[in-house]
Amino acid sequence: MIGRQVVAALLLWLSCCVSALWRYYMNSPDYSIFSTRSSINLEYEGSSFTSWKIPESCKVSNATSPKTTLHCKRAGIHKIKPIAGTHRCLSQLKPEIVTIWMYDPESASPEELMKTATKPSLGAHGGQKNILEKSLRTFGVCGSDEGLQPGTAPNSMVLTKQMNTLGQRPSIFTVEKKLVYHPGPLTSEGTWVIHIPMSTDDLAKVLRGNKVAFQDCLVANLYFLLAFPMVTISDPDDYLPLTLPAGAPMLISWHTCISTFALLATDQELFQTNDSFRTWTKIRAPPGILSDAERHSLRDVILLENGILILVGTTVYLKRENEFTRLNESNGISRDGILGFSKRRWCQIRYLYKFSARKSIVIAWSTTAFYAGYSTYRFVQIITTSELKQILKLPPTDTLEIMTIEYSWHPMEVALLLSHCSVCASTRNIRLVMYSAIHGSYTLRDFELQVPTGILLDFRFLFSAMPDIILWDQHHIYYSYNNFTQVGTIETVSGETNLSSLSQDSKVHNVLTDTIGNILVKMENNEMFYIKSDITVAVKLHTWINLTTESGLLFDISHQTCILLYNRNLDEKYQLKLQPYPLALELQSINEDLADWCPYLAFQHNIHSQFYHLDKGESLTTWTQIVYPENRGLYVVLEHYGSNVLTWTQNIEYEIASGFCTKTVTTRFFQTTNYQLVDDYYYLQFCQEKNTGLTLFQFRPSAFSRTCPTAKPVFEIDTGCDSSKYIIVRGELLRDSLSENLKVRYDVAKYGCPKTLQLDEMFQPIVELYDENGFLKIVEVDFILWEIHGRNDYTFNSTMEENGCINEAQTWDSMIEENPGVPLEDVWGPQGGVFCNLTTIFAVESLGMLPRSSVYLVAALIFVLMLTFISILVLSYFWYSKIYRQFIYEPLHKPPGKHKKH
């Protein structure tokens, strides 16, 4: 929820003073709803503070206190000036159970502020964004027009019910699959409830509200991640600490797609969290495996979904629940000598399904070898520097060493940063080689730096379709933009390239990059510099954290920049604290002097996914629009990288009104290859790189500056067969002569119920095409049908002539004859002309046909009948013979006997 649509900003001034710094925050830690409508806390650290100088439209609780509360009655730009410091500008920015309510940060309950509330508070309390176990609770903020005083705003339940009465119905939109989920009626507790099915490939969500205003308040879009609970490791009490070397700066690693699932390595402990360090556990080693020196020589950690890779010295260990294993040659990786490992930096959930089995999840390297690791934690040695010298045609006497390796945005490419010298003296040449896992090829890119011997370099690929990179050593930042056509050293506005000289000789600690082009460089003493993607000039940001505080950079659940503070002197329960960092507000602050304004007003597009798939004959249409002041001549640039398998056409519409120009570019991507009437379809489709492959695209304005807020859309188009698609026959029959009846057990659980038809009823299979999201369309291309058990007692309802065939159609007999020895399912496979190789099994049950009698059954029946008949005859003979004999020897009537006289 945000206070106003108009910009409300504070311009806060502080003179240049190294020993002093100050910050601003609200009761709510969420800077995305920062507004002058709410109370703003001012906090000054230093000994030279006298008082706050504020404009007439604002007031503070205590102007002479270094910690006070600011209230402003109206929106706009407000300059706040303490007696010392440089300036900064604050600007207002516009199945899981999800519970939503509005909140008032001015009078939130302690439970809401601590993110443990389960429902809106009553009285003068509200709530704030919260994740608790399986329920995500998201809140808005609102207040009165004349500035807010504590306790004067409506409480959360009243505010939510009032917004509901006015028609507010928040919904949740999923970024990748573009699904929308709506709540049921408002509950009696004053909350909306949304049920969202969990999905590993649709983690990013956006909370949206209707355009309903209450006390001039509107619901602002809120980006957040909603994932399955990630399980942290819990070790027994007798396990021993794993730490960085004494005095080493903290090291942070997080899951590529779930930033709240993270690791923190310090010189005291190794911590793990699944809720952005609101809670945490300690990762330790079992006794007896590592020596004390080894336990305190941790160099790197990688957090993966079901395990942790830990680099101790030059040896890799795998840590899982109740497991701590040393990896060695039996796992495909060297037992020692490993210098580092890396994982994918950008979350790409959907890409190249057909290559998923070969997709590595981690890479490791020594000075002479490069290894790829897979989901089973098995490694494969890809190449050595000796082999690489032969490929690059370097003399065998040259020195070639691997410095570091990183994944690019392309899912099947990595970049090797190499140190090379022929006669190694005080300097070395830094070269970069791209490795393609699809083709197994190595390409030396047009990139070269010269650095002193002993300098260590690290680098990251930026969020870009082109292989843009940022490199750094302890003191400098280097860049390579626009597919290695622009290479150089980042300098500041004063022309200085050594960042350490501008930060009290401190060294580079963290370099954080995000999806909208921000590059944040943090020094070990907490000084920070800002660079924008495609920009070669860095600016120094105002000090936000005390120079002696141990801290690091990471993202929170909304993918906003945060600072993790570590205080080793506090109780274990309070050692870690995550503090949001208002990067957008700080950029506006420093821009007051630089006057570096964005050259365009708006840059919009309809590209909402990182991945698109095109089957044969399909096309993709997108639009991009830029709005800019008249006479600046801006335009939209389309850049691509990867396979040249697609072509595109563009249509440009131009409008001008009220001194502003609008250019809308409609782009249609398609393939021109004709797959009809070819001799070898399989070769044309799969064996030529120009017809199947992955292409990376991006749109960007022709001119931009560091203050432009919109990211360039980066997306992939995969051309070819999509393995996520499948076919089934709507609704749910043998070839060789059989010497006996064939009985087949039909698996109803596997294939479903067969389609039941009468004997005289016509049947033609209707084939339906589906993907992971459900039904797509009816398949209209030709398909092949065969009976898998060889039955041949079926007939056809019409002839080829009746169906308009000019030539005799292919038959199974003819195809088998043309392909001797080929399995039946391959006789008419992709080589013979299929759309893509999609198959399905179905069954038909025919009713009304009398079964053919068995010869043995008929013979047996006749035999039984004849035997019965003969038996009856024989029995009849003997029966009638007995009767005949009886009548021969015994007369039918006895003569009357004589009577005796007495």
Side-chain angles (χ1 to χ4, degrees):
M1 193 76 176
I2 197 164
R4 283 195 176 127
Q5 288 182 314
V6 296
V7 173
L10 292 179
L11 192 59
L12 307 178
W13 294 85
L14 187 65
S15 62
C16 184
C17 180
V18 174
S19 61
L21 61 92
W22 67 282
R23 291 178 291 269
Y24 47 90
Y25 54 91
M26 297 190 307
N27 290 341
S28 168
D30 189 356
Y31 281 97
S32 66
I33 59 173
F34 189 88
S35 170
T36 55
R37 297 173 58 96
S38 303
S39 299
I40 299 174
N41 299 312
L42 304 179
E43 185 176 284
Y44 183 94
E45 287 187 18
S47 57
S48 60
F49 178 80
T50 302
S51 64
W52 299 97
K53 183 178 180 181
I54 61 173
E56 294 182 357
S57 59
C58 300
K59 62 180 179 179
V60 292
S61 300
N62 188 344
T64 60
S65 173
K67 293 185 178 181
T68 189
T69 303
L70 173 72
H71 301 276
C72 294
K73 293 183 178 180
R74 58 182 174 83
I77 302 296
H78 305 285
K79 294 185 178 180
I80 312 301
K81 183 179 180 181
I83 301 304
T86 56
H87 70 274
R88 64 175 63 124
C89 176
L90 309 187
S91 165
Q92 176 179 318
L93 302 178
K94 300 189 176 187
E96 192 80 1
I97 299 175
V98 179
T99 306
I100 305 169
W101 71 80
M102 303 294 168
Y103 87 111
D104 167 28
E106 290 299 286
S107 54
S109 68
E111 292 79 15
E112 289 172 322
L113 292 176
M114 293 298 295
K115 300 184 179 180
T116 58
T118 59
K119 59 183 178 180
S121 58
L122 301 175
H125 296 298
Q128 63 190 34
K129 188 173 50 182
N130 174 47
I131 288 184
L132 178 64
E133 297 176 353
K134 291 188 176 181
S135 183
L136 173 71
R137 300 169 184 88
T138 310
F139 314 86
V141 60
C142 176
S144 65
D145 286 336
E146 297 301 325
L148 291 176
Q149 299 295 333
T152 61
N155 64 70
S156 301
M157 181 175 289
V158 172
L159 177 61
T160 304
K161 290 185 176 180
Q162 180 65 40
M163 293 290 282
N164 180 74
T165 302
L166 294 174
Q168 183 58 257
R169 296 292 187 278
S171 60
I172 292 180
F173 171 83
T174 68
V175 175
E176 183 60 33
K177 294 185 178 180
K178 294 181 279 296
L179 304 175
V180 181
Y181 298 93
H182 301 280
L186 192 72
T187 67
S188 59
E189 294 183 337
T191 62
W192 293 284
V193 177
I194 301 179
H195 296 263
I196 300 181
M198 298 301 295
S199 174
T200 57
D201 59 353
D202 204 14
L203 301 177
K205 312 287 194 300
V206 178
L207 175 66
R208 294 176 174 175
N210 295 343
K211 294 183 178 180
V212 175
F214 173 67
Q215 291 192 356
D216 203 22
C217 296
L218 298 172
V219 171
N221 291 348
L222 174 66
Y223 176 95
F224 63 95
L225 299 174
L226 190 60
F228 289 100
M230 306 300 290
V231 180
T232 58
I233 297 175
S234 180
D235 286 328
D237 294 337
D238 61 338
Y239 277 30
L240 302 174
L242 287 166
T243 73
L244 297 171
M250 66 167 58
L251 175 66
I252 303 177
S253 173
W254 56 85
H255 188 278
T256 302
C257 295
I258 307 173
S259 56
T260 55
F261 190 44
L263 288 173
L264 168 66
T266 71
D267 59 2
Q268 286 189 320
E269 289 283 356
L270 177 59
F271 302 95
Q272 184 181 21
T273 183
N274 58 8
D275 57 7
S276 296
F277 292 101
R278 286 180 53 208
T279 61
W280 57 84
T281 59
K282 295 179 180 179
I283 304 299
R284 294 187 166 190
I289 294 183
L290 300 175
S291 66
D292 289 344
E294 289 174 326
R295 287 192 300 103
H296 299 297
S297 60
L298 191 151
R299 293 181 57 181
D300 202 356
V301 290
I302 288 288
L303 179 62
L304 301 172
E305 192 161 333
N306 59 352
I308 303 172
L309 289 179
I310 302 174
L311 183 60
V312 177
T314 61
T315 302
V316 179
Y317 290 85
L318 172 61
K319 172 67 174 178
R320 289 190 284 193
E321 190 74 39
N322 301 320
E323 179 184 355
F324 195 88
T325 307
R326 181 173 186 170
L327 303 185
N328 51 33
E329 286 75 10
S330 64
N331 305 100
I333 192 171
S334 175
R335 180 181 177 89
D336 50 32
I338 302 301
L339 296 182
F341 38 49
S342 182
K343 62 176 181 178
R344 299 180 187 273
R345 307 288 178 178
W346 300 110
C347 182
Q348 296 168 286
I349 297 174
R350 299 184 65 232
Y351 57 87
L352 281 180
Y353 289 102
K354 51 182 167 288
F355 296 115
S356 59
R358 294 189 282 136
K359 180 175 68 71
S360 62
I361 62 173
V362 66
I363 47 183
W365 65 90
S366 65
T367 56
T368 59
F370 159 38
Y371 305 88
Y374 299 87
S375 57
T376 58
Y377 297 105
R378 296 284 303 179
F379 285 82
V380 175
Q381 180 175 293
I382 304 299
I383 200 170
T384 65
T385 51
S386 298
E387 298 168 332
L388 200 54
K389 281 193 287 186
Q390 297 179 8
I391 295 175
L392 302 179
K393 298 180 180 180
L394 297 176
T397 55
D398 283 11
T399 300
L400 187 68
E401 295 180 348
I402 299 175
M403 298 190 72
T404 184
I405 304 178
E406 277 288 322
Y407 285 103
S408 72
W409 172 266
H410 193 294
M412 301 301 288
E413 284 189 356
V414 298
L416 290 76
L417 197 66
L418 305 173
S419 168
H420 170 240
C421 56
S422 299
V423 179
C424 299
S426 58
T427 62
R428 289 192 173 190
N429 294 327
I430 306 301
R431 308 302 299 272
L432 191 140
V433 170
M434 299 293 295
Y435 166 67
S436 171
I438 297 178
H439 306 110
S441 60
Y442 297 85
T443 305
L444 180 64
R445 303 311 302 260
D446 189 15
F447 171 87
E448 186 172 2
L449 287 176
Q450 281 196 342
V451 298
T453 301
I455 291 294
L456 297 179
L457 284 174
D458 203 352
F459 74 106
R460 296 286 185 272
F461 279 91
L462 302 180
F463 186 79
S464 171
M466 313 299 285
D468 296 340
I469 59 175
I470 285 288
L471 307 91
W472 66 92
D473 56 27
Q474 293 180 330
H475 312 288
H476 306 86
I477 307 293
Y478 309 95
Y479 66 88
S480 174
Y481 295 150
N482 198 19
N483 200 10
F484 302 100
T485 59
Q486 296 175 264
V487 179
T489 305
I490 295 290
E491 61 181 27
T492 62
V493 291
S494 64
E496 180 61 65
T497 60
N498 189 326
L499 301 186
S500 297
S501 64
L502 301 177
S503 53
Q504 303 180 29
D505 295 326
S506 184
K507 300 176 182 177
V508 175
H509 178 206
N510 290 147
V511 176
L512 189 71
T513 61
D514 65 14
T515 57
I516 60 175
N518 295 319
I519 305 170
L520 201 57
V521 181
K522 177 190 169 298
M523 311 301 285
E524 291 182 358
N525 68 347
N526 298 326
E527 296 280 14
M528 288 194 287
F529 295 85
Y530 175 80
I531 311 168
K532 188 78 170 181
S533 177
D534 300 310
I535 302 294
T536 62
V537 178
V539 292
K540 187 177 181 180
L541 299 173
H542 299 294
T543 305
W544 187 262
I545 300 296
N546 191 289
L547 301 184
T548 60
T549 301
E550 295 183 74
S551 68
L553 300 177
L554 73 161
F555 296 113
D556 64 6
I557 191 173
S558 297
H559 207 69
Q560 299 297 311
T561 304
C562 291
I563 300 176
L564 181 63
L565 307 179
Y566 175 61
N567 192 333
R568 64 183 66 220
N569 298 320
L570 295 179
D571 184 85
E572 288 186 357
K573 185 178 179 181
Y574 305 102
Q575 283 183 335
L576 300 177
K577 178 183 178 183
L578 192 68
Q579 182 178 105
Y581 179 68
L583 178 58
L585 304 181
E586 289 295 275
L587 289 178
Q588 293 190 30
S589 229
I590 61 173
N591 193 58
E592 183 70 15
D593 284 342
L594 298 177
D596 181 17
W597 304 106
C598 188
Y600 55 87
L601 276 71
F603 177 63
Q604 305 175 87
H605 54 83
N606 69 336
I607 301 167
H608 303 297
S609 178
Q610 294 179 358
F611 182 89
Y612 295 92
H613 187 278
L614 292 185
D615 272 339
K616 306 305 180 187
E618 294 182 341
S619 64
L620 172 68
T621 301
T622 66
W623 62 263
T624 311
Q625 185 180 81
I626 186 170
V627 182
Y628 57 92
E630 188 178 359
N631 298 325
R632 290 198 177 178
L634 300 186
Y635 54 93
V636 176
V637 178
L638 171 61
E639 297 173 322
H640 67 98
Y641 175 80
S643 302
N644 295 316
V645 297
L646 292 174
T647 187
W648 53 88
T649 58
Q650 290 187 318
N651 179 55
I652 301 177
E653 296 181 357
Y654 182 80
E655 296 180 5
I656 183 169
S658 303
F660 294 98
C661 300
T662 301
K663 284 183 181 177
T664 304
V665 180
T666 303
T667 307
R668 177 176 174 263
F669 300 92
F670 58 95
Q671 196 173 25
T672 59
T673 305
N674 185 2
Y675 293 95
Q676 297 180 348
L677 302 177
V678 295
D679 295 331
D680 196 333
Y681 176 87
Y682 183 81
Y683 178 80
L684 180 64
Q685 180 182 7
F686 295 104
C687 298
Q688 292 190 5
E689 295 179 5
K690 66 179 181 179
N691 296 325
T692 299
L694 182 74
T695 311
L696 282 58
F697 293 94
Q698 67 183 25
F699 290 100
R700 65 171 177 83
S702 59
F704 41 83
S705 72
R706 68 174 64 88
T707 56
C708 296
T710 307
K712 54 190 175 187
V714 176
F715 59 101
E716 308 169 3
I717 300 180
D718 183 26
T719 308
C721 291
D722 185 355
S723 61
S724 71
K725 290 184 178 179
Y726 59 95
I727 58 173
I728 63 174
V729 173
R730 178 181 291 180
E732 315 274 286
L733 302 177
L734 293 164
R735 199 165 2 274
D736 300 325
S737 298
L738 300 176
S739 60
E740 58 182 13
N741 286 341
L742 177 64
K743 293 184 178 180
V744 178
R745 180 176 295 277
Y746 181 72
D747 192 340
V748 176
K750 181 176 181 181
Y751 301 121
C753 295
K755 183 176 180 62
T756 302
L757 298 169
Q758 294 296 325
L759 178 63
D760 58 350
E761 185 178 352
M762 181 177 176
F763 169 69
Q764 178 179 348
I766 298 178
V767 183
E768 299 176 336
L769 182 64
Y770 290 80
D771 68 2
E772 56 187 358
N773 296 319
F775 174 78
L776 293 177
K777 62 181 180 180
I778 299 294
V779 176
E780 298 177 347
V781 299
D782 294 338
F783 57 86
I784 307 152
L785 181 70
W786 73 94
E787 208 288 322
I788 61 176
H789 294 296
R791 186 170 176 174
N792 66 351
D793 60 344
Y794 47 83
T795 59
F796 298 95
N797 297 76
S798 59
T799 65
M800 288 182 285
E801 182 179 359
E802 292 172 342
N803 284 276
C805 296
I806 299 176
N807 300 315
E808 182 180 359
Q810 292 172 308
T811 64
W812 278 108
D813 292 337
S814 63
M815 294 301 295
I816 293 173
E817 184 178 351
E818 293 177 9
N819 298 274
V822 178
L824 188 62
E825 59 270 16
D826 293 336
V827 168
W828 254 329
Q831 302 90 332
V834 179
F835 170 62
C836 285
N837 190 16
L838 303 179
T839 60
T840 188
I841 297 176
F842 70 100
V844 175
E845 181 182 12
S846 297
L847 302 179
M849 177 184 291
L850 294 177
R852 181 183 298 174
S853 301
S854 170
V855 175
Y856 297 104
L857 180 62
V858 172
L861 180 61
I862 293 174
F863 174 77
V864 171
L865 291 176
M866 292 181 63
L867 181 63
T868 302
F869 179 72
I870 294 173
S871 300
I872 291 174
L873 289 178
V874 171
L875 290 175
S876 299
Y877 169 76
F878 285 108
W879 174 258
Y880 283 104
S881 295
K882 179 181 178 181
I883 295 175
Y884 181 73
R885 286 194 301 269
Q886 180 180 0
F887 284 112
I888 290 176
Y889 295 104
E890 296 182 5
L892 291 175
H893 303 282
K894 291 183 179 181
K898 294 181 178 180
H899 298 282
K900 293 182 178 181
K901 295 181 177 180
H902 297 285

